[in-house]
């Protein structure tokens, strides 16, 4: 007997690190020790491993077993190390042949079956990038793991069958045990019909603003009375966005693999995600966190998609202000006592709010019972620095009887999405030399440098900046909106009309 070795992956956020598992069988009384900063779930692996091995026909040694997870300073969490520890112990006892550089990622059931774990996609990505392409996972995780280019994935149902393939003596193995497969939902069965923009009656200005937001990746605030259609509009924004490219789709799928309670992806997620958390959600639910190493929240799950906060003033102010960092950087860095995790969070933020606490301060506002102080306090929960980062700020009025009677004549999602895609292609051609994709990502130095507009075109913005009605950040955001309007109009660059329209889209809510 000697020291057995196998490999696994420890995830810290979306970053994975190869963990070498050493196993040694001593000469003392029976015991099982796991070293290397294991958490409670990993410490419980000792009992799972013993029962799984016994029921698979390859019982572990009755002597002291020591499993060491290297690097020892890296915290190890979860049940995904079960299989790697088992294979290292079996190798130390000479029950199986050489493992080589194979990486094992799976949880063990007491009956010897291999159970899936979440976060399999980022774990396999990290393994391939580290030079370990041979990976063994539970059969239910195999389809998801195979999404990673360059990965040589093998999926197994049972420990007995895996041990047999690695040279274990078949005479005692429970090879006839064939547990039922894990329930993996078919993506085609679980897909829901996306809401169509033609369902929205009237609201021509709001529909145009939604198209501009989709074309340039701009953030948006919709204010208006209840029933005006703010939520309907926000829910239809993802349908206007183009499908995700390979790199973005891999990022989104990896986040959802890590965040899911039960990972079951069978193909890359190509459609932009849509997250709509309730206004009672905590900071940990929106931003990410939890005990131990922080987990991704709604903001990260909305990466490359839409984060919709309905009734925005009802959220805690500190939750809203915490979104300011990812709006600028496209990333969330969460610090906890157990470690630091960084998650991508480049989303489109859509806020919706009533004009006052009772929601009746629309039109003449004669039915509103809120005082001026109540209205200011209500809307003041959305801080000025956060609003300054929102490109489009639009007031949405109730649908008139005439517009409601003409419902069914509005453009559908496919028609508007075609114009959005054409505008995105124009942006890509112009911005690819800067390493950017959409107008919303263009930094101010580029807007005032290589993409600088003539002074006559920006005169209205210069005046607003000089008078203090527009901040420097707002100045840049109006320019980004103007470029998007020009792309939708198939113009080479914005003109005075585009600047005026962009300024109107940004200041419409404030003017009401």
């Amino acid at each position: 007997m000697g020291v057995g070795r196998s490999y696994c992956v420890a995830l810290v956020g979306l970053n994975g690190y190869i963990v070498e598992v050493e196993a040694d069988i001593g000469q003392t009384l029976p015991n099982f020790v796991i070293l290397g900063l294991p958490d409670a779930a990993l410490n419980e692996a000792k009992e799972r491993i013993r029962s799984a091995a016994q029921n698979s026909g390859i019982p572990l040694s009755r002597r002291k077993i020591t499993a060491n997870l290297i690097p020892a300073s890296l915290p190890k969490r979860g049940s995904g190390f079960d299989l790697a520890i088992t294979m290292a112990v079996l190798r130390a006892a000479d029950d199986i042949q050489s493992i080589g550089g194979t990486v094992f990622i799976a949880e063990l059931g007491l009956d010897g079956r291999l159970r899936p774990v979440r976060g399999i996609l980022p774990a396999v990505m990290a393994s391939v990038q580290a030079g370990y392409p041979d990976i063994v996972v539970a059969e239910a995780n195999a389809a998801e793991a195979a999404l990673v280019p360059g990965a040589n994935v093998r999926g197994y149902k049972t420990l007995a069958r895996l041990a047999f393939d690695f040279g274990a003596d078949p005479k005692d193995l429970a090879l006839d045990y064939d547990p039922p497969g894990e329930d993996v939902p078919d993506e085609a069965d679980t897909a829901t019909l996306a809401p169509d923009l033609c369902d929205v009656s009237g609201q021509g200005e709001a529909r145009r603003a939604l198209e501009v937001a989709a074309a340039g990746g701009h953030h948006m605030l919709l204010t208006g009375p209840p029933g005006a259609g703010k939520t309907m509009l926000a829910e239809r924004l993802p349908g206007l966005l183009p499908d995700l490219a390979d790199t973005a789709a891999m990022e989104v799928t990896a986040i959802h693999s890590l965040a899911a309670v039960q990972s079951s992806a069978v193909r890359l997620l190509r459609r932009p995600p849509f997250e709509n958390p309730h206004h009672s959600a905590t900071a940990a639910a929106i931003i990410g966190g939890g005990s131990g190493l922080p987990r991704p929240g709604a903001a990260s799950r909305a990466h490359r998609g839409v984060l919709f906060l309905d009734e925005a003033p009802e959220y805690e102010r500190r939750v809203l202000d915490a979104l300011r960092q990812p709006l600028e950087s496209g990333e969330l860095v969460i610090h906890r006592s157990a470690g630091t995790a960084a998650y991508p969070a480049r989303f489109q933020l859509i806020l919706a709010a009533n004009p006052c606490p009772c929601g009746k301060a629309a039109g003449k506002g004669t039915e509103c019972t809120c005082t001026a102080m109540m209205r200011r306090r209500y809307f003041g929960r959305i801080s000025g620095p956060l609003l300054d980062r929102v490109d489009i700020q639009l007031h949405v009025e109730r649908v008139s009887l005439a517009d409601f009677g003409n419902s069914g004549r509005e453009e559908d999602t496919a028609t508007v999405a075609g114009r959005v895609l054409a505008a995105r292609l124009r942006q890509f051609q112009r911005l690819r030399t800067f390493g950017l994709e959409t107008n919303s990502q263009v930094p101010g130095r580029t807007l005032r440098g290589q993409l600088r507009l003539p002074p006559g075109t920006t005169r209205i913005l210069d005046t607003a900046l000089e008078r203090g009605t527009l901040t420097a950040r707002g100045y840049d955001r109006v320019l980004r909106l103007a470029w998007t309007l020009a792309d939708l109009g198939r113009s080479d660059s914005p003109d005075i009309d585009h600047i005026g329209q962009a300024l109107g889209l940004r200041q419409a809510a404030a003017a009401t």
Side-chain angles (χ1 to χ4, degrees), residues 107-399:
E107 178 184 330
L108 284 178
L110 299 183
D111 56 356
R113 80 174 68 188
L114 271 59
R115 306 190 67 89
V117 295
R118 61 183 175 185
I120 198 70
L121 187 63
V124 173
M125 291 170 61
S127 179
V128 172
Q129 292 170 1
Y132 294 82
D134 297 326
I135 301 160
V136 170
V137 299
E139 189 175 71
N141 277 148
E144 181 181 347
L147 295 174
V148 180
N152 178 24
V153 177
R154 287 180 288 173
Y156 287 88
K157 278 188 177 182
T158 65
L159 175 61
R161 181 59 60 180
L162 173 60
F164 173 76
D165 285 354
F166 275 86
D169 189 346
K171 66 178 182 179
D172 296 323
L173 292 176
L175 297 176
D176 57 343
Y177 174 54
D178 186 20
E182 298 287 337
D183 292 332
V184 180
D186 187 352
E187 189 170 319
D189 295 337
T190 59
T192 57
L193 186 63
D196 200 288
L197 194 58
C198 65
D199 298 333
V200 181
S201 300
Q203 301 295 9
E205 185 179 6
R207 292 166 61 92
R208 174 62 173 172
L210 198 70
E211 180 178 344
V212 174
H218 303 286
H219 310 303
M220 182 164 62
L221 166 67
L222 298 172
T223 62
K230 305 185 295 294
T231 302
M232 287 186 68
L233 288 164
E235 290 174 343
R236 281 147 182 79
L237 177 58
L240 303 181
L241 302 177
D243 287 344
L244 301 176
D246 290 345
T247 301
M250 188 67 75
E251 293 174 355
V252 171
T253 309
I255 293 172
H256 285 254
S257 170
L258 184 63
V261 174
Q262 184 80 357
S263 179
S264 60
V266 295
R267 59 178 63 91
L268 291 179
L269 301 179
R270 292 289 183 180
R271 292 303 304 151
F274 179 77
E275 290 289 328
N276 180 16
H278 192 262
H279 59 75
S280 62
T282 63
I286 303 293
I287 306 302
S291 60
L293 288 174
R295 306 200 67 82
S300 292
R301 295 196 303 271
H303 178 59
R304 302 286 185 176
V306 177
L307 177 63
F308 175 47
L309 302 185
D310 201 3
E311 306 293 344
E314 299 294 343
Y315 286 82
E316 293 184 29
R317 179 161 180 166
R318 66 187 186 93
V319 174
L320 295 176
D321 284 342
L323 295 173
R324 287 154 55 180
Q325 176 204 356
L327 289 180
E328 293 291 340
S329 64
E331 184 181 53
L332 272 167
V333 181
I334 308 171
H335 298 267
R336 293 293 184 271
S337 59
T340 301
Y343 295 107
R346 190 171 297 281
F347 53 83
Q348 277 187 257
L349 178 64
I350 307 298
L351 303 172
N354 293 325
C356 66
C358 74
K360 298 179 180 180
K364 296 181 180 179
T366 56
E367 299 180 1
C368 179
T369 59
C370 303
T371 65
M373 180 61 70
M374 291 171 62
R375 296 179 188 178
R376 285 197 298 269
R377 187 182 298 115
Y378 172 76
F379 218 82
R381 297 174 188 174
I382 307 177
S383 67
L386 177 62
L387 282 177
D388 204 30
R389 289 168 167 82
V390 179
D391 303 355
I392 300 174
Q393 302 179 21
L394 188 70
H395 186 77
V396 182
E397 295 288 355
R398 285 195 177 97
V399 179

Side-chain angles (χ1 to χ4, degrees), residues 404-451:
F404 192 71
N406 290 328
S407 61
R409 301 180 182 179
E410 291 83 0
E411 289 182 314
D412 60 8
T413 293
T415 302
V416 180
R419 294 198 297 267
V420 169
L421 180 59
R424 287 282 184 110
L425 292 176
R426 293 181 67 88
Q427 293 170 58
F428 177 75
Q429 294 295 331
R430 181 177 64 251
L431 301 176
R432 61 181 177 179
T433 57
F434 305 108
L436 304 172
E437 299 176 0
T438 60
N439 290 325
S440 63
Q441 301 172 356
V442 181
R445 64 178 181 276
T446 303
L447 291 169
R448 297 184 296 273
Q450 296 94 321
L451 300 180

